[in-house]
Amino acid sequence: MLTRGKLAKHVGCNIETIRYYEKVGMLSEPDRGANGYRQYEELHIKQLQFIQRAKGLGFSSGSIKTLMEITHNIEARTRAEVKTLTDAHILEISQKIKDLQKLEKTLISLTDQCDGANKSAKHCPIINSMYEI
Amino acid sequence: MLTRGKLAKHVGCNIETIRYYEKVGMLSEPDRGANGYRQYEELHIKQLQFIQRAKGLGFSSGSIKTLMEITHNIEARTRAEVKTLTDAHILEISQKIKDLQKLEKTLISLTDQCDGANKSAKHCPIINSMYEI
DNA sequence: ATTTGACCCTGTATGAAGTACAGAGTTTAT
DNA sequence: ATAAACTCTGTACTTCATACAGGGTCAAAT
């Protein structure tokens, strides 16, 4: 049983963020003690860690909510639903990977052209490439 | 000479976004006509396209402002500065790619093990593996 | 046992990065 | 001439958090 502050410290997020995630339905509501304090369990730690990971990967709150449903609320879902949702997300993820790889390739080729020497940036290929349509 | 609406249409952004970019100093202030209307020129088209392209490459607004400043005050900056900024971004992107690939792999293993039959997912054996993402 | 400090509760305000809208003036088209 | 379409400004709303204010609670030191 963790309080909100303990949970925040444990996963390394802001204490208010937890309340926010609860408000928008990304984190399931914990039980409350007689004093009204939230009582967090293992489940909430895992949910929060998952959210943090997905956030870091640039997923929207909507997507995270769906992913949360797949991973956490799986009891309430049929296998067909799970498979459909997951397949859609795999597509989304593989597209993101492709986009990022393209981006990475572009940036690497740009820095390769740029020797980083201590000269004026007037003719820097990075800036020039961005000015080009 | 373009009005705000024409510029927005030309570069494919929201008309209000242009005013916003001007407000935060990302887009330089255009001249005004006798009626007070903004009069945009080639420069502003290029600046907007620069912003869009940099955003598309995943640069934050802060980084874009820096890059914009570099181009405005070009003699004071060096290629090394631009290269440093870009290199940091490449690192971030390659980490994102790695994270996404790991997530994709996990999700694929999830669907591979799921027969998609119209049964409850309650006892789906891979719930725990999802938490290891 | 009391007090002090750290913690929790709620609601509300703030920040970034836009987007939308209201009310007023201007240009364009029919 | 008049309506539609556009522009101007300021302000409000959105999302994803983060911060703060005013009040209640817990736990440890005195």
Side-chain angles (χ1 to χ4, degrees):
Chain A
M1 290 295 189
L2 296 170
T3 60
R4 187 152 58 99
K6 296 250 172 65
L7 177 60
K9 202 157 281 178
H10 192 270
V11 302
C13 79
N14 187 290
I15 189 169
E16 294 300 321
T17 304
I18 292 170
R19 197 155 60 107
Y20 169 73
Y21 286 158
E22 182 183 315
K23 197 179 88 182
V24 298
M26 281 162 76
L27 194 58
S28 55
E29 288 185 36
D31 290 337
R32 300 282 185 130
N35 52 15
Y37 285 18
R38 290 171 180 84
Q39 294 175 328
Y40 293 105
E41 299 165 54
E42 267 310 301
L43 169 73
H44 303 98
I45 296 172
K46 295 194 172 186
Q47 283 183 354
L48 253 181
Q49 285 170 341
F50 187 91
I51 292 166
Q52 289 180 316
R53 194 87 188 155
K55 285 262 163 239
L57 297 174
F59 282 97
S60 68
S61 281
S63 292
I64 291 173
K65 271 190 226 177
T66 307
L67 280 169
M68 292 294 289
E69 282 193 338
I70 293 170
T71 61
H72 158 60
N73 268 337
I74 205 156
E75 298 86 357
R77 304 239 151 211
T78 67
R79 287 189 189 175
E81 274 182 297
V82 172
K83 190 162 172 58
T84 302
L85 283 169
T86 310
D87 283 344
H89 276 288
I90 288 169
L91 272 182
E92 196 182 304
I93 288 160
S94 67
Q95 189 54 55
K96 263 182 207 278
I97 289 170
K98 274 182 207 141
D99 289 349
L100 282 170
Q101 281 171 338
K102 196 175 159 194
L103 179 93
E104 185 187 35
K105 206 176 152 189
T106 304
L107 288 180
I108 285 173
S109 87
L110 287 175
T111 48
D112 281 353
Q113 289 173 58
C114 184
D115 58 14
N118 191 23
K119 295 187 251 179
S120 163
K122 198 171 207 164
H123 304 298
C124 175
I126 295 168
I127 285 171
N128 288 341
S129 85
M130 281 194 271
Y131 267 126
E132 279 159 26
I133 301 162
Chain B
M1 289 295 188
L2 296 169
T3 60
R4 185 152 58 99
K6 295 248 172 67
L7 177 60
K9 201 156 279 177
H10 192 270
V11 302
C13 76
N14 187 291
I15 189 170
E16 295 300 322
T17 303
I18 292 171
R19 199 155 60 107
Y20 170 74
Y21 285 158
E22 182 183 314
K23 197 179 88 185
V24 298
M26 281 163 78
L27 194 58
S28 56
E29 289 185 38
D31 290 337
R32 299 283 186 129
N35 52 15
Y37 285 18
R38 289 170 180 83
Q39 295 176 329
Y40 293 104
E41 298 166 57
E42 266 310 302
L43 169 74
H44 304 98
I45 296 173
K46 292 198 169 186
Q47 282 184 353
L48 253 181
Q49 285 170 341
F50 181 98
I51 293 166
Q52 288 181 319
R53 184 150 172 91
K55 285 219 178 283
L57 290 172
F59 283 98
S60 70
S61 283
S63 293
I64 292 171
K65 269 189 226 178
T66 306
L67 285 169
M68 293 292 289
E69 196 219 315
I70 288 167
T71 62
H72 284 148
N73 192 9
I74 213 148
E75 298 298 338
R77 296 288 186 139
T78 65
R79 287 188 189 185
E81 280 180 287
V82 179
K83 186 165 168 57
T84 300
L85 196 64
T86 310
D87 281 345
H89 204 73
I90 287 169
L91 271 181
E92 195 187 321
I93 288 162
S94 67
Q95 188 55 55
K96 265 182 205 275
I97 289 170
K98 275 181 205 139
D99 287 350
L100 280 172
Q101 282 171 337
K102 199 173 168 192
L103 179 62
E104 184 187 37
K105 206 176 151 189
T106 306
L107 287 176
I108 285 172
S109 91
L110 177 65
T111 48
D112 281 354
Q113 290 177 65
C114 185
D115 58 13
N118 192 23
K119 296 185 254 181
S120 168
K122 193 170 192 173
H123 301 298
C124 186
I126 43 172
I127 293 168
N128 288 339
S129 79
M130 285 300 292
Y131 284 121
E132 284 159 27
I133 296 165

